[in-house]
Amino acid sequence: MPRALIAANWKMNKTAAETAEFIRALKPHLPAPANREVVLAPPFTSLPAASAEARGSGIGIAAQDVFWEKQGAFTGEISASMLREAGCSYAITGHSERRRIFGEKDRQINLKTRACLEAGLNVIFCIGETLDERDAGKTFKVIKKQLNQGLKNIPRGDISRVAVAYEPVWAIGTGRTATPGQAAEAHAFIRSELGKMYSGNTAAQVRIIYGGSVTPDNVKGLMSEPDIDGALVGGASLDLDSFVRIIRS
Ligand code: PGA
């Protein structure tokens, strides 16, 4: 299994100056433990400053979104190769806020994910059920569809560059995290679906990370579950001490 992935999703928080200041303050706490890979996803406008400040530190930089076309008349959009030029090694696709607030569908998320892989970016591909879907007993059905459609036509050779982030929508930003047991059950299901889509061996190489109200206090319990290979951290990644505690957990 590759190193566990600890990724910070800053959403629409921190200016470029604040981003650089955070990374400067983070560097003395690095390198991260050898079994951890650390990635920060600041807003687009912070990406060049983040990659300049992170150079040589081992911190990876991620974009929070991407557009699938390479160039052209797509006002407001940014391509995968532009993200590479800005210093990104990762992009996030399929975040539930993009799905819910901006109406993104599985097909668009699939195009974005494929565009990233083709351009040489790694991907943090997010899936997860809403509370209504969980209460209706549809959790596995929903995440199976998101996986099958979101990863459609992604060849076996590329899938190890995708980390699947299981983020139950009801746990994001709510302080109501999934229990380690609930998360482990979903992660085991995701691993078995990936095994059907690819092979058991290939599925074992894909990192499946958990997101949704991860904190320094609950991260250890979550990550000690067998199929939980890291964390995608929102709110608790904005504070340096809290993020350092998560990296070192
Ligand atoms: P949260 O966000 O940690 O604030 O719940 C996680 C995410 O949206 O990726």
Side-chain angles (χ1 to χ4, degrees), residues 6 11 19 31 33 36 49 52 57 64 73 89 92-93 124 137 143 151 159 165-166 170 173 182-183 189 197 229:
I6 307 289
K11 311 191 180 186
T19 299
R36 296 269 192 280
S57 69
Q64 298 172 16
S89 51
I92 298 174
T93 62
I124 298 172
I143 59 185
L151 298 179
I159 194 67
Y166 171 62
W170 47 271
Q182 284 171 321
F189 177 78
M197 294 166 69
D229 309 315

Side-chain angles (χ1 to χ4, degrees), residues 2-51:
R3 290 179 298 165
L5 175 61
I6 307 289
N9 176 11
W10 282 355
K11 311 191 180 186
M12 200 171 73
N13 292 292
K14 296 194 193 292
T15 63
E18 288 164 348
T19 299
E21 189 187 320
F22 184 101
I23 296 173
R24 260 195 304 279
L26 176 61
K27 282 195 278 195
H29 301 278
L30 299 172
N35 55 355
R36 296 269 192 280
E37 179 181 2
V38 177
V39 170
L40 298 182
F44 283 132
T45 48
S46 293
L47 291 172
S51 51

Side-chain angles (χ1 to χ4, degrees), residues 60-210:
I61 302 299
Q64 298 172 16
D65 188 25
V66 58
F67 191 60
W68 57 83
E69 295 288 353
K70 291 192 170 72
Q71 62 191 40
F74 304 104
T75 302
E77 296 298 331
I78 293 179
S79 72
S81 61
M82 291 170 181
L83 295 176
R84 292 238 10 210
E85 188 196 34
C88 292
S89 51
Y90 276 88
I92 298 174
T93 62
H95 192 278
S96 69
E97 286 151 18
R98 302 282 334 156
R99 293 177 189 262
R100 182 171 50 84
I101 305 170
F102 302 101
E104 282 191 17
K105 301 283 179 261
D106 292 319
R107 157 126 187 94
Q108 296 163 305
I109 294 161
N110 176 249
L111 291 171
K112 290 183 173 192
T113 304
R114 285 162 51 195
C116 287
L117 293 168
E118 275 162 30
L121 287 171
N122 303 309
V123 179
I124 298 172
F125 163 68
C126 304
I127 58 173
E129 80 288 357
T130 63
L131 188 56
D132 283 353
E133 289 162 344
R134 174 164 282 263
D135 288 346
K138 291 187 187 154
T139 297
F140 291 156
K141 190 173 163 215
V142 168
I143 59 185
K144 180 183 168 81
K145 176 171 167 279
Q146 291 172 336
L147 273 176
N148 287 332
Q149 299 194 0
L151 298 179
K152 200 169 170 182
N153 294 326
I154 291 176
R156 179 180 301 199
D158 281 348
I159 194 67
S160 62
R161 290 196 286 125
V162 176
V164 177
Y166 171 62
E167 298 205 301
V169 178
W170 47 271
I172 295 178
T174 57
R176 184 183 160 190
T177 185
T179 63
Q182 284 171 321
E185 185 188 32
H187 283 229
F189 177 78
I190 293 165
R191 183 95 58 206
S192 92
E193 282 304 309
L194 289 170
K196 288 184 211 157
M197 294 166 69
Y198 296 94
S199 70
N201 281 344
T202 303
Q205 297 308 310
V206 177
R207 289 177 294 185
I208 306 174
I209 67 177
Y210 171 81

Side-chain angles (χ1 to χ4, degrees), residues 212-223:
S213 297
V214 171
T215 66
D217 297 324
N218 62 25
V219 67
K220 206 168 173 187
L222 287 159
M223 293 213 0

